[in-house]
Amino acid sequence: VQLVESGGGLVQAGGSLRLSCAASGFSFDDYAIAWFRQVPGKEREGVACLSIGNDWTYYIDSVKGRFTISSDNAQKAVYLQMNKLTSEDTAIYYCAATPRWFEGWRELIAHTFGYWGQGTQVTVSS
């Protein structure tokens, strides 16, 4: 199983970034994929998740209306479109995957996701 994130970078407040997560090595259609983020010294925070196959999505309140999670099933990729970025969004962003039948992923509980990417840095300058 491999998850590879890309698309991070430095952006000014109010700007946009699109993160990508390329998945391989598992049955993509049977999984839920989530984006987490982590700031040094703080716990990893779930941001959004997507159930591949039925397109069910969930967002934390702080990103609702600004972030959009989506997938390209043919490419086995998941994206996180981030708009109206603020300094509070600065973090390392991780892509994570878990089988849909596994309990807890809808609540974005980190330990319910067994597969993780290496992370991509997002820095928002104010």
Side-chain angles (χ1 to χ4, degrees):
V1 174
Q2 191 172 24
L3 299 169
V4 180
E5 302 96 334
S6 61
L10 174 64
V11 63
Q12 288 188 333
S16 299
L17 280 176
R18 187 194 194 208
L19 305 183
S20 298
C21 173
S24 61
F26 60 94
S27 182
F28 190 72
D29 292 350
D30 295 331
Y31 274 65
I33 309 290
W35 286 95
F36 286 76
R37 63 187 180 187
Q38 190 167 24
V39 175
K42 293 189 176 181
E43 289 189 5
R44 194 165 292 191
E45 175 186 46
V47 174
C49 61
L50 168 70
S51 175
I52 304 297
N54 61 23
D55 292 334
W56 182 89
T57 59
Y58 174 78
Y59 301 89
I60 58 172
D61 287 344
S62 61
V63 307
K64 281 181 183 176
R66 300 189 301 122
F67 290 12
T68 302
I69 188 170
S70 62
S71 67
D72 183 333
N73 294 1
Q75 297 294 323
K76 293 188 177 182
V78 174
Y79 308 100
L80 186 68
Q81 177 67 43
M82 305 186 295
N83 300 326
K84 300 179 182 179
L85 286 161
T86 75
S87 58
E88 298 295 310
D89 298 314
T90 294
I92 299 174
Y93 282 72
Y94 298 89
C95 174
T98 190
R100 274 208 306 271
W101 55 263
F102 208 75
E103 296 292 331
W105 63 265
R106 290 178 178 83
E107 290 78 32
L108 286 171
I109 299 172
H111 69 74
T112 65
F113 290 83
Y115 305 113
W116 293 82
Q118 81 289 349
T120 185
Q121 176 71 48
V122 171
T123 303
V124 183
S125 63
S126 56

